[in-house]
């Protein structure tokens, strides 16, 4: 038997002698064996010594496998002889060893996601990325057009027991449910709604339907969000579709410009209209008040006239002359005995200045 310093001799591929040093594992096993020989009494038969050594090794393995740690974002489901036993919170715990108790960690506080049509590099969940992304994204809209839809489903494990035991492969089932619901929702809308204005409605409706199916199937999953990513037409018609989008954007631009001009002109015209209406109302009220004032004045004058006709007639005559005489350029006052006013007229004056 070779010594510890020089390992056993071995021949290389070219028949030359080489010295091989024992690996570290052999040294560790040798030291453990020596310690075991030191623990066991020397007088025992080899079979009993072997049995006692096996019992000690079995006890050490049982002690080593009887404790486990649950992370802070997870819970542990304990199965005893394959049957559900209990749910264990985060922390250090103990179990019955030798495969009697089996623990499964379930990340209940971690937000998980599934991607459809694309893949995030470095994903550890095998059900997160699609196996055939092209097939998942190809959908038919309600107006019989094709579209490539990419989306993300974010979810949490709300009931670990149902997640593990009620449905076989719940993550795969969730992918099938998500794809089915998204095809249904997209199929109820036109391609313009899917690509432009209907994205938020699609996300909301898909979220409600996915959660309803997850509850119906008792998957133990709570869906937090459904988010649409890239939505594109198929490659053969993408150029034509881009032209249609540009035309729609141009139409929207022209409509917005027309609305801006409408908002600028219409309020101005309405303001002028209101101003004219108020002016007309003012003029109407002024004319009505003046007419009512004149009528009241004539009514009062008539009353006075009936009481003193001669005085009232003379006063009216004088007031009329006061209004008329200031507008006459030349005035000639004659008395009663005068028979003719011709000698009093200055015929050399201009015609326009004659009385």
């Amino acid at each position: 038997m070779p010594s510890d310093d020089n390992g056993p001799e071995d021949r290389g591929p070219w028949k030359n002698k080489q010295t091989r040093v024992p690996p570290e594992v052999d040294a560790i096993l040798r030291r453990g064996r020596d310690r075991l020989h030191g623990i066991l009494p020397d007088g025992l038969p080899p079979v009993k010594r072997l049995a006692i050594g096996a019992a000690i090794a079995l006890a050490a393995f049982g002690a080593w496998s009887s404790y486990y740690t649950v992370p802070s974002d997870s819970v542990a489901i304990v199965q005893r002889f394959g049957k559900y036993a209990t749910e264990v919170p985060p922390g250090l715990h103990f179990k019955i060893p030798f495969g009697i108790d089996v623990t499964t960690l379930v990340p209940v506080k971690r937000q998980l996601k599934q991607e459809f049509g694309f893949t995030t590099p470095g994903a550890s969940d095998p059900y997160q990325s699609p196996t055939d992304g092209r097939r998942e994204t190809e959908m038919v809209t309600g107006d019989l057009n094709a579209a490539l839809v990419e989306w993300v489903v974010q979810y949490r494990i709300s009931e670990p027991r149902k997640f593990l035991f009620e449905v076989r492969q719940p993550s795969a089932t969730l992918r099938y449910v998500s794809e089915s619901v998204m095809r249904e929702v997209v199929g109820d809308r036109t391609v313009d709604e899917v690509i432009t204005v209907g994205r938020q409605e699609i996300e909301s409706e898909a979220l409600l339907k996915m959660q309803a199916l997850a509850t119906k199937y008792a998957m133990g999953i709570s869906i937090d969000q459904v988010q649409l990513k890239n939505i594109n037409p198929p490659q053969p018609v993408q150029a034509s579709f881009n032209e249609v989008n540009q035309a729609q954007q141009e139409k929207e631009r022209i409509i917005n410009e027309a609305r801006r001009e409408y908002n600028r002109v219409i309020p101005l015209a309405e303001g002028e209209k209101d101003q004219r209406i108020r002016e007309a109302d003012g003029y109407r009220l002024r004319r009505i008040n003046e007419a009512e004032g004149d009528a009241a004045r004539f009514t009062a004058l008539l009353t006075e006239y009936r009481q003193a006709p001669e005085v009232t007639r003379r006063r009216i005559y004088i007031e009329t002359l006061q209004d008329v005489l200031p507008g006459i350029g030349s005035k000639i006052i004659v008395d009663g005995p005068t028979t003719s006013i011709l000698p009093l007229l200055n015929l050399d004056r201009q015609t326009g200045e004659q009385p």
Side-chain angles (χ1 to χ4, degrees):
M1 182 176 179
S3 63
D4 293 341
D5 296 335
N6 297 325
E9 293 183 353
D10 194 4
R11 295 183 177 274
W14 292 280
K15 306 299 182 180
N16 56 342
K17 293 183 179 181
Q18 297 178 347
T19 302
R20 180 170 59 85
V21 180
E24 296 181 359
V25 177
D26 294 340
I28 294 173
L29 293 176
R30 189 182 297 108
R31 286 195 296 269
R33 184 182 58 190
D34 294 340
R35 291 177 181 176
L36 184 61
H37 284 301
I39 296 174
L40 296 177
D42 294 336
L44 292 177
V47 177
K48 290 185 177 181
R49 293 170 62 90
L50 182 60
I52 294 174
I56 294 174
L58 188 62
F61 176 77
W64 176 76
S65 62
S66 63
Y67 71 91
Y68 61 97
T69 303
V70 181
S72 60
D73 62 346
S74 305
V75 296
I77 299 298
V78 180
Q79 296 173 255
R80 185 162 297 163
F81 296 109
K83 183 180 179 180
Y84 171 80
T86 184
E87 180 179 319
V88 180
L92 180 63
H93 303 277
F94 294 91
K95 64 178 179 178
I96 301 176
F98 308 115
I100 298 175
D101 284 354
V102 178
T103 59
T104 303
L105 298 179
V106 182
V108 294
K109 296 182 180 180
R110 189 186 311 166
Q111 189 177 61
L112 308 174
K113 68 177 180 178
Q114 291 185 352
E115 300 166 338
F116 298 83
F118 66 99
T119 302
T120 300
S124 58
D125 187 359
Y127 295 101
Q128 176 176 335
S129 303
T131 56
D132 188 359
R134 183 72 179 180
R135 183 193 60 81
E136 288 180 346
T137 58
E138 293 177 346
M139 299 185 184
V140 179
T141 60
D143 54 355
L144 301 181
N145 285 309
L148 303 178
V149 183
E150 298 177 358
W151 74 98
V152 175
V153 176
Q154 297 179 350
Y155 66 97
R156 298 177 188 271
I157 301 175
S158 58
E159 300 180 62
R161 183 175 180 180
K162 291 183 179 180
F163 181 79
L164 291 179
F165 305 119
E166 293 292 336
V167 178
R168 182 177 298 157
Q169 296 182 349
S171 298
T173 304
L174 179 60
R175 291 197 67 90
Y176 299 143
V177 168
S178 301
E179 183 179 351
S180 175
V181 169
M182 188 58 67
R183 291 184 182 277
E184 177 185 355
V185 175
V186 170
D188 292 338
R189 288 166 173 79
T190 64
V191 66
D192 293 334
E193 293 176 342
V194 173
I195 295 179
T196 55
V197 297
R199 295 172 65 97
Q200 186 173 1
E201 294 181 0
I202 292 174
E203 293 174 351
S204 301
E205 184 176 352
L207 175 62
L208 295 177
K209 290 187 176 182
M210 290 181 191
Q211 185 59 58
L213 288 177
T215 304
K216 179 180 179 181
Y217 296 158
M219 298 168 61
I221 291 175
S222 175
I223 300 177
D224 295 336
Q225 185 180 14
V226 177
Q227 184 178 7
L228 293 176
K229 292 297 185 180
N230 297 326
I231 303 178
N232 299 309
Q235 189 65 32
V237 299
Q238 190 166 6
S240 300
F241 196 85
N242 291 336
E243 293 180 359
V244 173
N245 286 337
Q246 291 177 359
Q248 290 178 347
Q249 292 175 2
E250 183 69 17
K251 180 188 73 173
E252 294 295 332
R253 184 184 64 81
I254 295 174
I255 291 175
N256 292 333
E257 291 179 355
R259 287 176 178 172
R260 184 176 67 249
E261 185 68 17
Y262 173 86
N263 293 331
R264 184 184 67 84
V265 174
I266 296 302
L268 180 61
E270 290 180 350
E272 293 179 354
K273 177 195 71 174
D274 295 338
Q275 181 182 0
R276 300 246 180 123
I277 291 174
R278 286 193 295 270
E279 290 178 353
D281 290 339
Y283 178 76
R284 177 179 61 84
L285 293 175
R286 183 174 62 84
R287 295 293 296 173
I288 290 174
N289 292 333
E290 289 178 355
E292 290 178 351
D294 293 340
R297 184 173 63 84
F298 281 112
T299 301
L301 184 62
L302 177 61
T303 303
E304 296 296 331
Y305 180 79
R306 287 176 177 175
Q307 293 177 359
E310 294 297 332
V311 177
T312 304
R313 186 184 301 112
R314 186 173 183 81
R315 182 172 60 81
I316 293 173
Y317 175 76
I318 293 173
E319 290 177 355
T320 304
L321 291 180
Q322 287 178 350
D323 294 335
V324 173
L325 291 178
I328 300 175
S330 178
K331 305 177 184 64
I332 299 174
I333 299 175
V334 296
D335 54 5
T338 305
T339 58
S340 176
I341 63 172
L342 185 59
L344 302 176
L345 296 179
N346 188 3
L347 300 179
D348 295 334
R349 297 181 62 184
Q350 297 180 0
T351 306
E353 295 180 356
Q354 291 182 356

